[in-house]
Amino acid sequence: MIEQGIDWPKLLISCKNNVMEKVTPFLKMTKKPQPDLGIGAGGDPVKQVDLAAETAIVGTLATCGVSFTLISEESGEKTYGKKPSECFVTTDPIDGTTNLLRGISFYATSIAVSKTRNLNGVFAALVTDLFHGTTYSAQKGIGAHRDNKRIAPSQNASLSDAVIGLDLNSYRVERIAPRLTDLIGKTKHIRHLGANALELCYVADGTIDAFVDIRGKLRATDIAAAWLIVQEAGAFMTTTDGKPLNFKLSPKQKVEFVATANDAMHEKILSLIRPEKDME
Ligand code: IPD
Ligand code: CA
């Protein structure tokens, strides 16, 4: 997909290749404590590896002469080139930093490109599993791919056979967990792997049947790329009310969502999540 004279799919591959190269030295330091280098724009502590990955992405784009507004979990918003309002690059340079630093082999880089500051303006996306080297990509209207092969979600609609990802990670668990007990009780296998962009790609390619994060803690930067991959694969991703997701692409923007492989599974899961008002 050529936009503004740029072959974005090719350029995103160059970005992830550079990220993989720059991240490699850090993989030798797993399990050693890494200092916090302050708090990132998304509100979490920043590690050196996060900055190395972000620098790799920005450096690749800048070397190619691209004008863009960066929307990053680490540095926040910055502009590059002469026409930065024509293109927005939303990134979580490393999704799953804790996994990476602990030596848990599940972490990714995530990059989305849009013409506007809104999620529904995203037209090209890439999420790469940095440990296994698997790349998920999507272009608006053209489909989603894993390492250049077209992907499709699972057709399973039965919770008694399902593998469902659920993020209950350390946030308002006393309010969130009770809303999910019906779903947990009816689901065969519950998982949380620790890198939500990649877990959404697992919904897109049929590895798992759904992924749910209703904490209201996750940032827009974590899911902007995976959202397009889920859509283009033909899976479903909405609010808990079943409304389409759309929000401002900003490092401060928080999101919650239900992503599922198919319509029938979507209806089932939405009906099992208790509304927040019932918790009052
Ligand atoms: C984290 C991962 C994790 C989720 C956290 C996120 P990060 O991303 O996606 O699965 O539970 O809420 O912050 O911080 O490693 O980019
Ligand atoms: Ca991150």
Side-chain angles (χ1 to χ4, degrees):
M1 180 176 274
I2 314 273
E3 280 289 342
Q4 291 155 4
I6 297 155
D7 183 342
W8 279 103
K10 204 169 155 199
L11 188 50
L12 293 182
I13 294 288
S14 300
C15 288
K16 73 92 185 164
N17 286 341
N18 202 9
V19 170
M20 285 181 101
E21 189 189 320
K22 298 296 177 338
V23 158
T24 301
F26 293 92
L27 305 181
K28 297 190 184 110
M29 300 193 270
T30 54
K31 299 190 173 60
K32 293 188 188 141
Q34 297 286 316
D36 290 342
L37 305 177
I39 298 295
D44 281 351
V46 180
K47 302 289 187 184
Q48 215 185 333
V49 68
D50 296 315
L51 292 185
E54 184 185 88
T55 304
I57 294 165
V58 171
T60 308
L61 298 175
T63 305
C64 292
V66 182
S67 286
F68 63 101
T69 299
L70 176 75
I71 302 168
S72 169
E73 185 177 310
E74 311 306 345
S75 295
E77 289 201 19
K78 284 186 177 173
T79 58
Y80 296 84
K82 290 190 179 136
K83 294 178 180 170
S85 57
E86 287 188 2
C87 172
F88 298 84
V89 175
T90 302
T91 181
D92 182 4
I94 303 286
D95 180 35
T97 302
T98 301
N99 280 355
L100 186 156
L101 295 176
R102 293 282 183 124
I104 300 169
S105 47
F106 195 82
Y107 45 87
T109 191
S110 164
I111 316 170
V113 190
S114 57
K115 288 184 202 163
T116 66
R117 273 173 188 278
N118 288 323
L119 184 70
N120 61 12
V122 174
F123 64 84
L126 170 144
V127 173
T128 290
D129 175 335
L130 293 169
F131 183 85
H132 300 96
T134 308
T135 292
Y136 295 84
S137 59
Q139 295 172 62
K140 197 165 200 162
I142 295 185
H145 295 80
R146 185 187 57 231
D147 290 342
N148 300 321
K149 290 204 182 89
R150 191 85 187 239
I151 52 173
S154 127
Q155 291 179 1
N156 173 38
S158 155
L159 290 175
S160 56
D161 292 326
V163 179
I164 293 185
L166 211 54
D167 192 339
L168 279 172
N169 199 8
S170 68
Y171 188 65
R172 297 199 307 147
V173 71
E174 65 292 344
R175 285 187 67 83
I176 307 298
R179 296 178 60 198
L180 296 166
T181 48
D182 292 344
L183 174 62
I184 294 170
K186 289 192 161 50
T187 301
K188 175 88 173 181
H189 304 282
I190 296 289
R191 298 284 184 276
H192 179 226
L193 305 174
N196 293 11
L198 206 45
E199 283 160 281
L200 284 167
C201 293
Y202 275 19
V203 176
D205 79 349
T207 303
I208 61 176
D209 301 298
F211 184 69
V212 176
D213 185 348
I214 59 165
R215 297 171 301 157
K217 176 179 194 275
L218 203 70
R219 295 153 293 242
T221 46
D222 291 79
I223 65 150
W227 171 82
L228 187 66
I229 294 166
V230 165
Q231 301 293 318
E232 288 294 327
F236 290 72
M237 191 165 170
T238 70
T239 64
T240 50
D241 301 332
K243 298 203 177 97
L245 283 187
N246 197 19
F247 43 75
K248 193 177 165 206
L249 295 171
S250 144
K252 301 262 179 270
Q253 177 71 49
K254 301 292 196 271
V255 297
E256 44 184 80
F257 59 82
V258 176
T260 62
N262 55 64
D263 209 1
M265 181 63 89
H266 206 71
E267 291 300 312
K268 224 169 254 180
I269 292 183
L270 290 186
S271 72
L272 288 169
I273 297 176
R274 292 197 204 142
E276 187 152 25
K277 62 177 173 41
D278 289 4
M279 299 298 118
E280 277 149 18

